[in-house]
Amino acid sequence: MITWDEVLQYIRDNLSLPSGFIEKTDDEIRKYLISNALREFSRYFPDWEYTKIDTNDPELKHPTIKNRWKIVDNLGLDIFGIRDCIFDLTNSMVTGHPVIGPFSLGELRTWALDVYESNLLAPYTMFNYTYNFIPPNWIELITDTSPPKIFVVQYERMQPLDLSKIAPALYQKFKEFCLAYIKIWIGELRSKYGDNRLSTPFGEIPLNGADLKQEGLQEKARLVDEFEDAIVPPVIIISQ
């Protein structure tokens, strides 16, 4: 698992002046990255979680709008959207969904066809549930019947603040993204020094704040392009 200590060390290794000086403390840098870099990174690579909605729970009901309930994240993280809703099979059975699964390979074909036909028919019946995500954390059901007593929501959320859910394949990209954000932030601060130089016991050091900021902006833009490309589903072309 990647940690903030690794991220901060990566930043210091790539950003420090020869004296080892950075204008912000580790705690200030971490808080800044959580509020900015981690939040934006999560838009491209969100975590996901499940929660149960009890439609009779007064703590979850919207105070004025019918059939709208609050999605409560167990870590209090930002919620970006809904991946799926899972309802019981009561309504699906009306459209022919099998109650139990197949017991043999011979039954599998018929069972799969029944499931497919049931799901195909469901959107056109009065027993279908349509759901919408209402920011920041509400789900709304649109239905011609009474809402279910309980259903489960799978939702997308911000990555946990301890970075525990970031995929190993994204560790390096996340560190680079954080470094780009800090280059922009520190570059902006350094560009405000009157003569753009810092006096230290080692002598005068040129800060080059504007150059550092521009470098960070370019690196951030490159990474965002890579993130956007990574989340676009592949296009499959079948030749005939």
Side-chain angles (χ1 to χ4, degrees), residues 186-221:
I186 298 299
E188 179 67 23
L189 292 175
R190 291 179 180 177
S191 66
K192 296 184 184 300
Y193 283 85
D195 58 359
N196 204 28
R197 301 180 70 83
L198 179 67
S199 296
T200 74
F202 306 94
E204 298 236 334
I205 299 176
L207 295 176
N208 300 322
D211 292 342
L212 183 64
K213 179 181 178 181
Q214 185 60 34
E215 184 179 311
L217 289 169
Q218 291 174 349
E219 291 176 3
K220 180 175 178 287

Side-chain angles (χ1 to χ4, degrees), residues 4-188:
W4 281 115
D5 287 342
E6 292 179 54
V7 174
L8 293 170
Q9 187 60 51
Y10 181 82
I11 289 171
R12 292 197 175 278
D13 289 344
N14 287 274
L15 187 61
S16 294
L17 295 172
S19 63
F21 172 76
I22 294 180
E23 288 83 340
K24 298 295 182 179
T25 66
D26 283 355
D27 190 52
E28 289 173 326
I29 292 173
R30 181 167 46 248
K31 288 179 180 178
Y32 179 82
L33 291 174
I34 287 173
S35 297
N36 296 277
L38 183 61
R39 180 167 276 108
E40 183 173 0
F41 183 85
S42 299
R43 292 286 181 180
Y44 299 103
F45 305 105
D47 184 33
W48 55 268
E49 188 57 87
Y50 291 95
T51 190
K52 181 179 71 173
I53 301 291
D54 181 343
T55 58
N56 293 318
D57 187 343
E59 297 295 324
L60 299 182
K61 284 184 177 181
H62 193 282
T64 59
I65 301 177
K66 183 181 178 182
N67 286 359
R68 186 177 293 187
W69 298 271
K70 184 184 297 183
I71 303 172
V72 179
D73 180 67
N74 62 330
L75 297 178
L77 299 172
D78 292 348
I79 296 173
F80 299 147
I82 297 171
R83 281 191 175 190
D84 195 11
C85 279
I86 304 168
F87 304 100
D88 64 36
L89 289 178
T90 303
N91 288 349
S92 298
M93 288 166 58
V94 177
T95 59
H97 195 292
V99 179
I100 56 177
F103 292 101
S104 68
L105 287 175
E107 296 176 0
L108 180 60
R109 180 178 300 177
T110 301
W111 179 86
L113 181 60
D114 288 343
V115 171
Y116 174 78
E117 291 178 344
S118 172
N119 292 336
L120 189 66
L121 178 61
Y124 307 102
T125 72
M126 63 180 293
F127 303 103
N128 182 57
Y129 296 126
T130 301
Y131 52 87
N132 294 317
F133 175 67
I134 313 295
N137 61 342
W138 297 95
I139 180 171
E140 182 177 68
L141 290 186
I142 303 171
T143 176
D144 294 328
T145 61
S146 299
K149 293 181 179 180
I150 292 177
F151 63 98
V152 174
V153 179
Q154 183 190 35
Y155 60 93
E156 295 183 340
R157 66 177 184 178
M158 183 175 170
Q159 288 284 347
L161 306 190
D162 63 359
L163 312 182
S164 60
K165 301 292 282 295
I166 294 178
L170 295 172
Y171 287 172
Q172 182 60 31
K173 291 301 180 183
F174 179 69
K175 290 191 290 186
E176 292 175 10
F177 198 56
C178 288
L179 176 61
Y181 255 98
I182 296 303
K183 283 184 176 180
I184 297 168
W185 189 35
I186 298 299
E188 179 67 23

